[in-house]
């Protein structure tokens, strides 16, 4: 919701935001694990990283953001392509890595769906 309410940033700004956000997430999640336990529900900065990855190059529409969010949640729960194994990495890396993988997979799925909608002329406003 926060990303949708913000002005549309240029693509290069995503990298500037994503790299320090990821570093902050790995560090803070690792620190939080000392008192909360491994990948505790109270740790949510990893979700911010994964969702930010998912929103790369997504059109700034409510429908597109809603679909991107749903895909991220699906893949964050499903944990495809080694995301489950990535959770076993030490410290904050284990907390953040699975959400990064879910974000990349959701990003690919969103753009594949958007391509299919455009290719087949479906009346879905993405």
């Amino acid at each position: 919701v926060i990303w949708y309410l913000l002005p549309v940033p240029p693509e290069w700004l995503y990298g500037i935001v994503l790299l320090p956000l990821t570093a902050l997430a790995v560090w803070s999640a690792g620190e939080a694990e000392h008192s909360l336990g491994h990948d505790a529900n109270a740790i949510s900065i990893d979700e911010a990283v994964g969702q930010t990855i998912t929103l790369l190059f997504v059109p700034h529409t409510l429908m597109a953001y809603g679909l991107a969010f749903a895909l991220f949640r699906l893949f964050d729960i499903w944990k495809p392509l080694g995301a489950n194994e990535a959770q076993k990495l030490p410290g904050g890396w284990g907390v953040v890595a699975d959400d990064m993988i879910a974000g990349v997979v959701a990003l690919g799925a969103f753009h594949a769906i958007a391509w299919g909608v455009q290719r087949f002329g479906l009346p879905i406003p993405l």
Side-chain angles (χ1 to χ4, degrees):
V1 171
I2 293 170
W3 272 111
Y4 183 74
L5 297 175
L6 294 173
V8 178
E11 282 84 17
W12 59 267
L13 186 58
Y14 272 94
I16 290 175
V17 169
L18 190 58
L19 291 175
L21 177 63
T22 302
L24 176 65
V26 169
W27 174 79
S28 62
E31 291 298 310
E33 280 191 321
H34 295 303
S35 59
L36 299 173
H38 181 65
D39 207 358
N41 288 337
I43 302 171
S44 60
I45 195 166
D46 54 326
E47 309 290 330
V49 171
Q51 188 64 60
T52 301
I53 292 169
T54 302
L55 291 174
L56 285 169
F57 313 114
V58 169
H60 196 84
T61 67
L62 196 53
M63 178 74 81
Y65 272 44
L67 177 58
F69 175 76
L71 288 168
F72 173 70
R73 293 305 309 143
L74 171 71
F75 293 122
D76 188 31
I77 293 165
W78 182 19
K79 307 231 181 285
L81 300 177
N84 203 30
E85 290 78 15
Q87 281 188 305
K88 297 173 186 154
L89 291 170
W93 285 108
V95 177
V96 177
D98 69 306
D99 291 282
M100 291 177 70
I101 292 169
V104 169
V105 174
L107 172 68
F110 175 87
H111 289 290
I113 291 168
W115 174 85
V117 164
Q118 182 181 20
R119 170 72 173 87
F120 296 107
L122 300 174
I124 301 170
L126 287 181

